[in-house]
Amino acid sequence: MTAASPIAPSVPLRAPRRAWLTDLPVLLVAVVWGASYLAAKGITTTHTVVAVLVLRFAVVLPVLVVAGWSRLRALEPAQWRGAGVLGLVLSGIFLLETYGVVHTSATNAGLIISLTMIFTPLAEAAVTRTSPPRAFLAAAALSVGGVVLLTQGGGFTTPSLGDLLMLLAALARTVHVLAMSRIKAVRSADSLSLTTVQLGSAVAVFALLATVPGTGASPWSVALDFGPREWAGLVFLSVFCTLFAFFVQMWAVRRTSPSRVSLLLGTEPLWAAAAGIALAGDRPGALGIAGAVLVLAGTTWGRRAADEGDR
């Protein structure tokens, strides 16, 4: 359940012996993102999804506003509108992801959402009317086959509602990435300002939904009912999975290459599976384990094939 990724130019790489000083914080972001599915599952129910989303982002939004106030004021009206549209898409992503993780395992959630790395180049190829490399198509087929096996770990049954919602979330993430690359107004926008406006728009959507009858408990009642464990989970999602993750990405991408950062963040589904199995007792079974391996292999192969095709 990741935050928006900043886009920044690369700079010359640092000496190899010091590369780990940059790689380690980025890898830590992948670890906390992988654990975020389990954390969200632990503090959220079907009736508290919207409330938890309001609380999660309301905690970090003031910090982002204060940190980037001068740059926010410098945004042009078209940039505000473009970022606002992206924020609407982002709100849909978080709603799908959070409802999805409530209805499936943390392991399935983290692995299924990784299909975004496959869907995005395929969608880009469709929009630009170009053919992706054959190796990428083979990797995509491998990943899809892996998801089928992953969701059938207990025998071939109908995929759960949560699995389907996570699949929709992966598609929504693809729409978000394509929109970011095609809305001209946001291409020149500052990364911090762009993320702040997007999260602000998403919080506004969640706050409006919270007032609609039938959407669950109010944020205030949920906050009052939270105990130490729930507050710890919320702080983890807000501070580490959102605020910390954003600033580490923005820091790292200026000290190494965007490709290197992307490669490290691509380990997120591995950590999601590890957290689900080790901490939540997820038991994917032999078919599920085989599917997880195929998903990881397919997304890794697909990312490399897409990079080679771009070059």
Side-chain angles (χ1 to χ4, degrees), residues 186-264:
V186 303
R187 292 181 186 175
S188 58
D190 170 72
S191 297
L192 177 58
S193 301
L194 180 62
T195 299
T196 303
V197 176
Q198 287 187 78
L199 291 182
S201 301
V203 169
V205 171
F206 303 146
L208 286 174
L209 285 176
T211 66
V212 178
T215 55
S218 71
W220 311 116
S221 64
V222 170
L224 290 174
D225 288 339
F226 270 4
R229 184 182 68 85
E230 288 79 13
W231 276 111
L234 184 69
V235 169
F236 175 75
L237 290 171
S238 300
V239 176
F240 290 96
C241 299
T242 305
L243 196 61
F244 168 76
F246 170 78
F247 282 108
V248 165
Q249 287 180 89
M250 192 165 60
W251 168 80
V253 82
R254 287 170 169 79
R255 287 163 174 77
T256 182
S257 69
S259 297
R260 191 177 183 90
V261 172
S262 176
L263 182 64
L264 291 167

Side-chain angles (χ1 to χ4, degrees), residues 41-302:
K41 190 174 182 67
I43 67 172
T44 313
T45 67
T46 303
H47 300 293
T48 63
V49 167
V50 175
V52 168
L53 287 172
V54 171
L55 295 172
R56 173 182 175 179
F57 294 109
V59 169
V60 299
L61 191 58
V63 178
L64 293 175
V65 171
V66 171
W69 179 247
S70 60
R71 283 170 285 186
L72 276 173
R73 294 179 61 186
L75 287 179
E76 299 176 357
Q79 292 175 322
W80 278 94
R81 290 192 297 270
V85 170
L86 291 174
L88 295 179
V89 178
L90 193 64
S91 67
I93 293 171
F94 279 111
L95 285 167
L96 288 167
E97 286 185 357
T98 310
Y99 275 112
V101 80
V102 168
H103 294 287
T104 191
S105 67
T107 300
N108 280 22
L111 289 165
I112 293 173
I113 201 68
S114 70
L115 289 177
T116 303
M117 289 184 283
I118 295 295
F119 291 158
T120 301
L122 287 176
E124 181 68 22
V127 170
T128 59
R129 297 182 180 180
T130 58
S131 299
R134 290 184 179 180
F136 180 83
L137 293 177
L142 190 67
S143 298
V144 172
V147 167
V148 172
L149 290 179
L150 176 68
T151 58
Q152 308 302 318
F156 285 93
T157 59
T158 303
S160 71
L161 173 62
D163 293 334
L164 296 176
L165 289 174
M166 294 307 299
L167 189 61
L168 289 175
L171 292 170
R173 279 196 187 190
T174 297
V175 172
H176 185 260
V177 173
L178 291 181
M180 284 189 69
S181 67
R182 294 191 166 272
I183 299 178
K184 294 181 180 179
V186 303
R187 292 181 186 175
S188 58
D190 170 72
S191 297
L192 177 58
S193 301
L194 180 62
T195 299
T196 303
V197 176
Q198 287 187 78
L199 291 182
S201 301
V203 169
V205 171
F206 303 146
L208 286 174
L209 285 176
T211 66
V212 178
T215 55
S218 71
W220 311 116
S221 64
V222 170
L224 290 174
D225 288 339
F226 270 4
R229 184 182 68 85
E230 288 79 13
W231 276 111
L234 184 69
V235 169
F236 175 75
L237 290 171
S238 300
V239 176
F240 290 96
C241 299
T242 305
L243 196 61
F244 168 76
F246 170 78
F247 282 108
V248 165
Q249 287 180 89
M250 192 165 60
W251 168 80
V253 82
R254 287 170 169 79
R255 287 163 174 77
T256 182
S257 69
S259 297
R260 191 177 183 90
V261 172
S262 176
L263 182 64
L264 291 167
L265 293 179
T267 64
E268 175 192 345
L270 177 63
W271 301 112
I277 293 172
L279 301 178
D282 291 347
R283 295 293 180 265
L287 286 177
I289 291 174
V293 171
L294 290 181
V295 170
L296 292 172
T299 52
T300 301
W301 183 19

